[in-house]
Amino acid sequence: MAAAEPTRILMAVNESTIKGYPHASISSRGAFEWTLQKIVRSNTTGFKLLFLHVQVPDEDGFDDFDSIYASPEDFKSMENRDRTRGIHLLEYFVNRCHEIGVACEAWIKRGDPKEVICHEVRRVQPDLLVVGSRGLGPFQRVFVGTVSEFCVKHAECPVITIKRKADETPQDPVDD
Amino acid sequence: MAAAEPTRILMAVNESTIKGYPHASISSRGAFEWTLQKIVRSNTTGFKLLFLHVQVPDEDGFDDFDSIYASPEDFKSMENRDRTRGIHLLEYFVNRCHEIGVACEAWIKRGDPKEVICHEVRRVQPDLLVVGSRGLGPFQRVFVGTVSEFCVKHAECPVITIKRKADETPQDPVDD
């Protein structure tokens, strides 16, 4: 039963909307720690974690009210800054894996998270995709959409959805 | 990181609509074997599998075109027969677990599968719920509904959805 190859788990991770740079979102951290405790357990050589962070170009732009874009270089410097933030986010997960002794890889893509995640599943062919979910009700969902619902339907591998715990929900549940 | 308690995985399993008694459905067997290979792996003491089979009273009645119900005893004997079929289904999974050395428990409930599964999650509080899915497209889904979609939204624990493989899809994809 013990396969030679480790089970490759792709985890889609994103930044917190409330705690800012360089914090991982509540649902990303929750999904990660749950996976270590409940799936990997003591079998650290049986698993490899793959971290994918998808940056949303437009959403990141909201932080740039004070910026002036006068040349292509200005956009380039913004992209570099986003890139740096993404790298710091991934550093958090990679460091935790190294502490524990679980093999990992991490990378950044830009685009619509749900589309990019499903595309990366086709490309990388993990055994399992883990997505954290804010666990929003139908009313809240109308405005924000959910990446997890889309991935459960469309990703070409088994998908695990891990809802944020009730006691970790911030004042505005759309935050994460 | 190694918790003392094993990770308790609840698996909702059902009978095949095409192969009949006492076969497990394609998606149930697929989800079970995937869980053993990719999650449990060689760490057989780290996990406990809980098998829940929900019998649908009305659906089972479709097999009874030739039966005549003249007294309460007739219904009771039908219930006993359904019960026997359910026990044979669970036997398949329990035997496999014993072969491999993974702790398990199995039981039968009657009712609407999606409601009963979510109710049992609240009662038993597993770490993870595994549901197989036929992976039907939106058109097919209109007619059959999907238990997995409901559970991902409403079950009060992380949920893993495992779609049936394309090469295991029967001629009529609504079959399983």
Side-chain angles (χ1 to χ4, degrees):
Chain A
M1 189 178 54
E5 293 293 307
T7 297
R8 294 160 72 241
I9 302 180
L10 180 62
M11 309 201 68
V13 297
N14 59 359
E15 281 182 290
S16 176
T17 57
I18 37 175
K19 291 185 182 161
Y21 166 90
H23 285 281
S25 68
I26 296 168
S27 55
S28 294
R29 272 180 297 131
F32 173 57
E33 295 298 336
W34 184 92
T35 303
L36 291 176
Q37 265 181 46
K38 299 297 183 182
I39 303 290
V40 175
R41 298 181 58 98
S42 59
N43 187 10
T44 46
T45 55
F47 294 88
K48 181 171 187 177
L49 300 186
L50 312 172
F51 298 98
L52 167 63
H53 173 46
V54 184
Q55 288 186 328
V56 185
D58 288 345
E59 208 174 79
D60 288 342
F62 280 125
D63 296 333
D64 292 307
F65 286 129
D66 295 332
S67 304
I68 295 167
Y69 304 106
S71 74
E73 280 71 33
D74 291 336
F75 287 97
K76 210 173 164 189
S77 79
M78 187 187 77
E79 268 187 37
N80 282 339
R81 207 209 47 204
D82 288 348
R83 214 178 154 68
T84 308
R85 284 173 52 176
I87 289 168
H88 279 285
L89 173 71
L90 293 179
E91 204 176 12
Y92 167 82
F93 293 101
V94 170
N95 284 348
R96 277 285 283 136
C97 284
H98 275 249
E99 275 170 34
I100 295 157
V102 178
C104 69
E105 265 175 48
W107 66 97
I108 299 170
K109 292 274 170 185
R110 286 172 84 88
D112 178 354
K114 60 185 192 302
E115 301 285 354
V116 172
I117 292 167
C118 291
H119 181 268
E120 291 296 281
V121 165
R122 277 194 299 278
R123 189 177 69 82
V124 171
Q125 305 198 334
D127 296 303
L128 174 61
L129 169 67
V130 175
V131 281
S133 157
R134 284 168 290 188
L136 302 178
F139 179 75
Q140 291 145 341
R141 220 178 294 142
V142 172
F143 302 106
V144 299
T146 75
V147 172
S148 58
E149 258 180 80
F150 185 91
C151 291
V152 166
K153 280 184 198 154
H154 298 102
E156 291 171 8
C157 76
V159 179
I160 187 164
T161 309
I162 302 175
K163 290 191 202 82
R164 201 167 50 186
K165 287 179 200 134
D167 61 7
E168 289 190 327
T169 304
Q171 210 153 19
D172 182 347
V174 172
D175 275 332
D176 190 23
Chain B
M1 187 178 54
E5 294 293 307
T7 297
R8 294 160 72 240
I9 303 180
L10 179 62
M11 308 200 69
V13 296
N14 59 358
E15 282 181 290
S16 177
T17 57
I18 37 175
K19 292 184 182 162
Y21 166 90
H23 285 282
S25 68
I26 297 168
S27 55
S28 295
R29 273 181 296 130
F32 173 57
E33 295 298 336
W34 184 92
T35 303
L36 291 177
Q37 268 181 43
K38 299 298 183 181
I39 303 290
V40 175
R41 299 181 57 98
S42 58
N43 186 11
T44 47
T45 57
F47 295 88
K48 180 171 186 177
L49 300 186
L50 313 172
F51 298 98
L52 167 63
H53 173 47
V54 184
Q55 287 187 330
V56 185
D58 288 345
E59 209 174 78
D60 287 342
F62 280 127
D63 296 334
D64 293 307
F65 286 129
D66 295 332
S67 305
I68 295 168
Y69 303 108
S71 74
E73 280 71 35
D74 291 338
F75 287 98
K76 210 173 162 189
S77 79
M78 187 187 78
E79 268 187 36
N80 282 339
R81 208 210 47 206
D82 288 349
R83 213 176 155 70
T84 308
R85 284 174 51 179
I87 289 168
H88 278 285
L89 173 70
L90 293 179
E91 204 177 10
Y92 167 82
F93 293 102
V94 171
N95 284 348
R96 277 285 283 136
C97 284
H98 276 250
E99 276 171 33
I100 296 158
V102 177
C104 69
E105 265 175 48
W107 66 98
I108 298 170
K109 292 275 170 183
R110 285 173 83 89
D112 178 354
K114 61 185 191 301
E115 301 284 354
V116 173
I117 292 167
C118 290
H119 182 270
E120 291 295 280
V121 165
R122 275 194 299 279
R123 189 178 69 82
V124 172
Q125 305 199 333
D127 295 303
L128 174 61
L129 170 67
V130 175
V131 281
S133 156
R134 286 168 289 188
L136 302 178
F139 179 74
Q140 291 146 341
R141 220 178 294 143
V142 171
F143 302 105
V144 298
T146 76
V147 172
S148 58
E149 257 179 80
F150 185 91
C151 291
V152 166
K153 279 183 199 157
H154 297 102
E156 291 172 7
C157 75
V159 179
I160 187 163
T161 309
I162 302 175
K163 289 191 202 82
R164 202 168 49 187
K165 287 178 200 135
D167 60 9
E168 289 189 328
T169 304
Q171 210 154 17
D172 181 346
V174 171
D175 274 332
D176 189 24

